[in-house]
Amino acid sequence: MRRRGIRRRAAAVTAVLLATAALQSLAAPVRAAADAPGAADTAAVDLTTSRAIWIDRDTVAWNGVDGAASTQLLASEDGSLTVRDGTLSGDDERWIRLGRTALTDAQKARFPHLEDYTAWSVDPRDRDRVRAALRGQLVAAQRAADGTVLAATGVQTAGVLDDLYRGAAKAELGPVFHHGRPALNVWAPTAQSVSLELDGSTVAMRRDDATGVWSVTGPASWTGKSYRYVVKVWAPSVREVVTNKVTDPYSVALTADSGRSLVVDLDDPSLAPAGWAGLRKPRAVALRDAQIQELHVRDFSVEDRTSRHPGTYLAFTDKDSDGSRHLRRLARAGTSYVHLLPVFDIAGIPERPADQAVPACALPSYPADSGRQQECVAKTTAQDAYNWGYEPYHFTVPEGSYATDPDGTARTVEFRRMVQALNQDGLRVVMDVVYNHTAAAGQAGTSVLDRIVPGYYQRLLADGSVANSTCCANTATENTMMGKLVVDSVVTWARQYKVDGFRFDLMGHQPKANLLAVRQALDALTPAKDGVDGKKIILYGEGWNFGEVADNARFTQATQANMAGTGIATFSDRARDAVRGGSPFDADPRVQGFGSGLYTDPNTSPANGTTEEQKARLLHYQDLVKVGLTGSLKDFTFTDTSGERVSGAGVDYNGAPAGYADAPGDALAYADAHDNESLFDALAYKLPAGTSPADRARMQVLAMATATLSQGPALSQAGTDLLRSKSLDRNSFDSGDWFNAIHWNCADGNGFGRGLPPAADNQSKWQYAKALLTTVRAGCPQITAASAAYRDLLRIRTTEDTFSLRTAAQVQDRLSFPLSGPHETPGVVTMALGDLVVVFNATPQQQRQRIGRLAGTPYHLHPVQAAGADPVVKTSRYERRTGTFTVPARTVAVFRS
């Protein structure tokens, strides 16, 4: 996932030298540190930062200055502690004495980024002050013997809150119904008061001091009413006590634009579409066999003239629409899951159609290479109906802009109807979930979590600022109650909406333990008790390793290598980059790869290097493709293109092991997704400019085949089989319907040539894009041929058992690359798999692949391809006497003995 406009950071946590304050001098005159001989710099007295970290009820981690006489925490209920001219003062200050100690091994294991910090223990005489201190402003201070303030800073409190309020982890939060009566429960341990604003009236709430949960129970007549919490709390982001009126983090229903939460019981039969209770799902497909179509709800239907409900959940119930018919064709061919881009409540779209801006231009009237389209679209992006949705507002409510009425429970019913319709079409449903960040933090209008428990739910850096390495305000899923929110939210989607799988955005920013807790909670769901079989729900995500959590800096991350063997898959970028060429972030997008003509069909880009460099890189790419075909197995051994015997982990991928999986299903293969250019657009840049439309289509199918015919699951962006284009847009998260909509009818084209892509993310590539937009073509013959050929490959993948091997040992035993070695043909990968031989010929010439050990064994073109839609692959031949397979240019041929 990417968003533009927010600078990415990869901030490492460093030990920050700070100072502390002296308890003995509380009554003494306080002089500015700068005025005292030998005192610390006044920069150390800075209450705009929070450099002290209170990790449990007994321990504070804070690097102090040498020579301080004493250290303490100061607390102020009214937030009056201030610094003026280097002097620390306050009207109602209370204190907690701290003594020097050392972090235990257990504490270092819990907070590895703090292992080099100085530790301070809470004086036993002051332990009864801890809970009260946490309900106001906190300052860590250090003084000299004469009362001089040497240093002062705010305090991070997530660790101590987790320690003090452990019982909250078992609390039922949000609206909970017992015998028809609703109870509303919110965790707000640092709040000074919480009340319920219900339909304009205010109701008192009761605090449980053991858990920090505030609760109120009302009559059945509360059902359907709107509510907010009124929370009085110290907010470090503005450094004052504030009273926030805020929606429920555990909301299950909302009014339009998320203005109010609604008291709703999701078990209410009136919210279930007809047949919901007895919904029969398609056969469960194990993760290792999943064939997934990634799809955005609005992209699916907004420009489908045959849809009666364009742009909404209900479009999936339009059985006669072009989009629905195409999804059913894919399902019959072997597609098993539709992966929906975020459909939870998001912050980036006005939910009422009347409030949604529309480009005020005749977009179709402009030339294919014009900049006018993107200029016009850009004027409305902030207020139009489009966004990918990676801006979480409320994690457990369906997005309202996709409902026919965003103001109430229609979104609940219509979301369920969408799931039901897709299941009826033979497709299970995956939700793209984004628990690694929120749309905003602090006192921002779309900040929910941070306005209820400030400084807890967001991950803080060493100075107390909110980390935003994911693009936005990172969440701290390592903290108990944020981790609980993830588990509770996923379980709600599974139980109440019968979602069949979850794809976790930037999963590497979450602890592995949190993902395993999700898996455990889902596994506990049973058809008899919950209406779903949780063990059949699949999980996968982005296991990228970057940011303030990189290299397990704060916890064991849910990254590619760490998740191997857990049953939770991660996207594998290794073969993706090898097939496409270069990386998605190359300054010159023409860098070629195995599936885009490197060496065998070179373009004119100097970025590809010399001929010899191209050949060497292509052969290495072929090794990466082979590792991908094994399911990215780390221990699979084969002969690489240099003639060396290597393991998957021994093949280099930009300094990292190419293979990292323990078993098929650990890695998810793909050639394109919503991020970066679509596959067609990437090939438009990379293939030689004169490549014919037919050859472009064939290379598209070949590139898709490297994922489809691999061990383990595979994902494809919806429409890729139809040569889907976004007119070369590499980051279309907010580029509107014009650039994003899928065109199911080939008469409408494939989306290419709809103008220069938006300047914000693409202007540096306009020099390459402009000529392509008027010359590259794809018409109905190429679109329909590519889709039919892809469906043939799907049928082979999902009907041949050898593509569904269960263990690494089985893959090692049954899969090989018989021609891999120093004499391997550049641009060709030949795979033997049980009684199958698969030849990937990415070159522009017919290729002969002789496997001597197979001489005398009868092989023939696979019956699906022999009777299939592609006339070119039907010209493939096998010579039994010599064991030679002949495959036409730009073709994937599957032979069976």
Side-chain angles (χ1 to χ4, degrees):
M1 185 282 300
R2 289 200 318 279
R3 283 187 63 201
R4 68 170 180 259
I6 300 178
R7 182 172 57 89
R8 300 179 71 93
R9 294 190 297 171
V13 176
T14 57
V16 183
L17 293 177
L18 302 169
T20 50
L23 173 64
Q24 298 97 319
S25 58
L26 284 173
V30 180
R31 299 197 306 272
D35 296 336
D41 190 281
T42 52
V45 182
D46 183 3
L47 303 192
T48 66
T49 64
S50 294
R51 298 183 181 276
I53 305 171
W54 201 346
I55 64 172
D56 58 40
R57 69 189 70 193
D58 295 319
T59 315
V60 175
W62 183 31
N63 287 334
V65 296
D66 292 333
S70 60
T71 304
Q72 79 256 18
L73 298 175
L74 302 178
S76 170
E77 184 175 356
D78 64 6
S80 61
L81 292 169
T82 60
V83 174
R84 289 191 179 89
D85 299 324
T87 299
L88 177 65
S89 62
D91 295 332
D92 69 338
E93 63 186 46
R94 291 160 292 167
W95 61 91
I96 294 173
R97 290 162 283 197
L98 300 176
R100 188 72 173 262
T101 186
L103 294 175
T104 67
D105 290 342
Q107 288 171 328
K108 291 178 181 179
R110 174 71 178 85
F111 303 96
H113 62 296
L114 303 180
E115 65 178 358
D116 294 329
Y117 271 57
T118 300
W120 305 90
S121 62
V122 171
D123 192 303
R125 294 169 293 176
D126 297 333
R127 285 176 182 166
D128 59 351
R129 302 180 183 182
V130 168
R131 290 179 185 266
L134 287 163
R135 298 177 69 183
Q137 180 188 14
L138 276 169
V139 171
Q142 197 167 45
R143 301 177 192 256
D146 65 354
T148 299
V149 176
L150 299 178
T153 186
V155 182
Q156 300 180 33
T157 60
V160 66
L161 292 176
D162 280 346
D163 183 35
L164 285 173
Y165 298 103
R166 295 177 187 177
K170 297 182 180 180
E172 287 188 286
L173 300 177
V176 179
F177 284 76
H178 296 288
H179 306 294
R181 297 188 63 196
L184 297 169
N185 312 290
V186 62
W187 187 66
T190 63
Q192 296 176 10
S193 67
V194 180
S195 57
L196 178 70
E197 183 184 83
L198 184 79
D199 267 7
S201 61
T202 301
V203 181
M205 299 184 74
R206 179 182 60 84
R207 173 188 165 95
D208 180 352
D209 288 335
T211 64
V213 174
W214 299 73
S215 303
V216 63
T217 299
S221 61
W222 280 12
T223 301
K225 293 185 181 297
S226 64
Y227 71 97
R228 293 187 299 185
Y229 297 121
V230 183
V231 182
K232 182 180 180 183
V233 67
W234 164 258
S237 63
V238 292
R239 297 186 58 247
E240 62 183 52
V241 176
V242 297
T243 299
N244 288 324
K245 294 186 176 183
V246 60
T247 46
D248 192 340
Y250 273 73
S251 294
V252 295
L254 296 160
T255 61
D257 294 322
S258 312
R260 300 286 191 280
S261 302
L262 291 172
V263 182
V264 167
D265 182 1
L266 292 180
D267 289 325
D268 185 341
S270 70
L271 302 181
W276 180 248
L279 176 62
R280 295 185 63 182
K281 287 192 167 288
R283 179 182 63 87
V285 175
L287 178 58
R288 69 177 181 278
D289 294 328
Q291 295 294 308
I292 305 165
Q293 287 281 304
E294 182 198 60
L295 179 60
H296 185 279
V297 166
R298 191 169 175 88
D299 293 354
F300 172 67
S301 61
V302 71
E303 289 200 9
D304 185 348
R305 293 187 297 274
T306 64
S307 175
R308 292 184 293 113
H309 303 92
T312 68
Y313 299 124
L314 292 183
F316 293 90
T317 70
D318 296 334
K319 298 299 185 180
D320 293 328
S321 71
D322 288 341
S324 289
R325 285 198 296 266
H326 192 77
L327 289 183
R328 286 197 296 275
R329 282 193 290 269
L330 289 171
R332 288 193 295 270
T335 295
S336 44
Y337 291 86
V338 163
H339 158 162
L340 298 171
L341 265 66
V343 282
F344 51 77
D345 181 53
I346 61 178
I349 302 175
E351 291 187 340
R352 294 185 178 92
D355 298 330
Q356 295 167 353
V358 177
C361 306
L363 296 173
S365 69
Y366 301 128
D369 61 348
S370 172
R372 295 290 299 279
Q373 296 96 325
Q374 64 86 29
E375 181 181 14
C376 186
V377 167
K379 292 177 181 177
T380 60
T381 53
Q383 288 296 317
D384 69 357
Y386 195 86
N387 196 287
W388 276 349
Y390 293 91
E391 299 179 332
Y393 198 171
H394 297 86
F395 289 108
T396 321
V397 184
E399 163 58 19
S401 68
Y402 302 143
T404 56
D405 180 2
D407 200 11
T409 56
R411 62 177 85 185
T412 300
V413 178
E414 292 173 9
F415 190 104
R416 287 170 166 173
R417 289 187 64 188
M418 172 183 66
V419 172
Q420 183 181 52
L422 284 165
N423 287 173
Q424 291 168 345
D425 285 345
L427 295 159
R428 293 170 77 89
V429 178
V430 172
M431 264 188 71
D432 198 326
V433 287
V434 186
Y435 297 111
N436 61 83
H437 65 251
T438 53
Q443 288 295 106
T446 55
S447 171
V448 176
L449 299 170
D450 212 21
R451 289 198 292 149
I452 293 178
V453 193
Y456 177 84
Y457 286 103
Q458 315 297 153
R459 183 174 297 124
L460 304 182
L461 299 176
D463 63 357
S465 61
V466 176
N468 65 4
S469 57
T470 63
C471 84
C472 313
N474 293 1
T475 56
T477 41
E478 64 271 28
N479 294 342
T480 299
M481 297 304 286
M482 185 62 216
K484 171 183 168 61
L485 176 55
V486 174
V487 175
D488 291 348
S489 177
V490 168
V491 168
T492 299
W493 286 114
R495 289 186 68 251
Q496 298 291 356
Y497 293 95
K498 302 189 180 183
V499 172
D500 305 294
F502 297 90
R503 177 268 195 191
F504 289 83
D505 181 63
L506 298 182
M507 188 170 72
H509 269 60
Q510 293 178 236
K512 176 180 178 179
N514 185 224
L515 272 295
L516 294 180
V518 169
R519 180 73 272 170
Q520 183 179 27
L522 290 175
D523 287 348
L525 303 180
T526 66
K529 176 172 61 75
D530 306 287
V532 295
D533 186 346
K535 292 181 179 178
K536 294 179 179 177
I537 293 173
I538 66 170
L539 301 178
Y540 58 95
E542 293 183 301
W544 316 137
N545 178 33
F546 68 96
E548 73 286 347
V549 297
D551 301 323
N552 305 309
R554 295 190 177 218
F555 44 77
T556 300
Q557 301 163 260
T559 48
Q560 289 170 321
N562 289 345
M563 297 308 290
T566 64
I568 301 172
T570 54
F571 285 85
S572 178
D573 44 355
R574 278 69 164 151
R576 177 204 68 182
D577 287 355
V579 170
R580 291 165 69 109
S583 88
F585 311 107
D586 293 329
D588 185 342
R590 299 173 298 170
V591 176
Q592 293 176 285
F594 173 76
S596 56
L598 180 64
Y599 179 69
T600 64
D601 199 9
N603 61 32
T604 59
S605 173
N608 284 316
T610 66
T611 300
E612 286 305 309
E613 288 169 341
Q614 290 182 39
K615 182 178 179 181
R617 192 163 73 252
L618 173 59
L619 292 173
H620 182 64
Y621 279 161
Q622 290 177 204
D623 286 336
L624 290 173
V625 169
K626 294 166 199 168
V627 175
L629 290 169
T630 73
S632 296
L633 295 176
K634 63 184 179 186
D635 293 329
F636 181 89
T637 59
F638 67 103
T639 301
D640 68 10
T641 51
S642 71
E644 296 293 325
R645 193 71 182 172
V646 296
S647 67
V651 177
D652 177 72
Y653 172 73
N654 299 329
Y660 63 85
D662 285 345
D666 285 347
L668 184 145
Y670 69 116
D672 78 340
H674 65 278
D675 268 333
N676 311 309
E677 290 90 354
S678 71
L679 182 57
F680 182 87
D681 289 345
L683 295 177
Y685 275 129
K686 296 172 185 297
L687 288 170
T691 305
S692 70
D695 283 342
R696 289 183 183 277
R698 300 196 67 78
M699 293 301 280
Q700 180 106 350
V701 173
L702 183 142
M704 295 178 74
T706 60
T708 304
L709 300 182
S710 69
Q711 298 294 314
L715 176 142
S716 174
Q717 183 176 197
T720 293
D721 65 304
L722 298 171
L723 309 185
R724 180 186 181 183
S725 168
K726 299 179 184 179
S727 207
L728 301 175
D729 190 353
R730 65 180 296 268
N731 187 16
S732 68
F733 85 97
D734 205 13
S735 298
D737 299 328
W738 179 252
F739 290 100
N740 281 288
I742 300 173
H743 305 279
W744 301 108
N745 189 328
C746 65
D748 297 327
N750 68 335
F752 195 80
R754 292 169 77 86
L756 286 166
D761 288 296
N762 302 278
Q763 192 165 11
S764 65
K765 296 181 174 62
W766 280 2
Q767 59 180 313
Y768 309 112
K770 194 170 180 65
L772 296 172
L773 291 170
T774 57
T775 56
V776 171
R777 292 285 181 269
C780 278
Q782 296 81 43
I783 292 170
T784 57
S787 184
Y790 170 68
R791 293 198 302 273
D792 285 346
L793 292 174
L794 268 178
R795 290 185 185 96
I796 294 171
R797 166 63 176 86
T798 54
T799 57
E800 292 286 351
D801 291 343
T802 48
F803 286 109
S804 182
L805 301 176
R806 293 172 176 267
T807 67
Q810 289 175 335
V811 177
Q812 185 72 66
D813 181 59
R814 305 200 66 185
L815 189 154
S816 65
F817 303 101
L819 300 181
S820 185
H823 303 297
E824 183 171 341
T825 305
V828 183
V829 170
T830 299
M831 173 175 70
L833 180 62
D835 60 357
L836 303 177
V837 171
V838 185
V839 179
F840 300 84
N841 178 11
T843 76
Q845 296 88 28
Q846 174 183 283
Q847 296 289 345
R848 290 165 53 86
Q849 297 287 284
R850 182 177 180 274
I851 307 176
R853 66 178 174 82
L854 297 183
T857 305
Y859 277 88
H860 55 271
L861 188 65
H862 196 283
V864 170
Q865 288 187 315
D870 181 10
V872 177
V873 75
K874 293 178 183 179
T875 66
S876 301
R877 303 186 306 278
Y878 171 68
E879 185 179 306
R880 180 173 178 177
R881 183 179 60 84
T882 61
T884 301
F885 301 84
T886 301
V887 177
R890 300 184 173 101
T891 296
V892 178
V894 182
F895 298 85
R896 190 167 73 181
S897 64

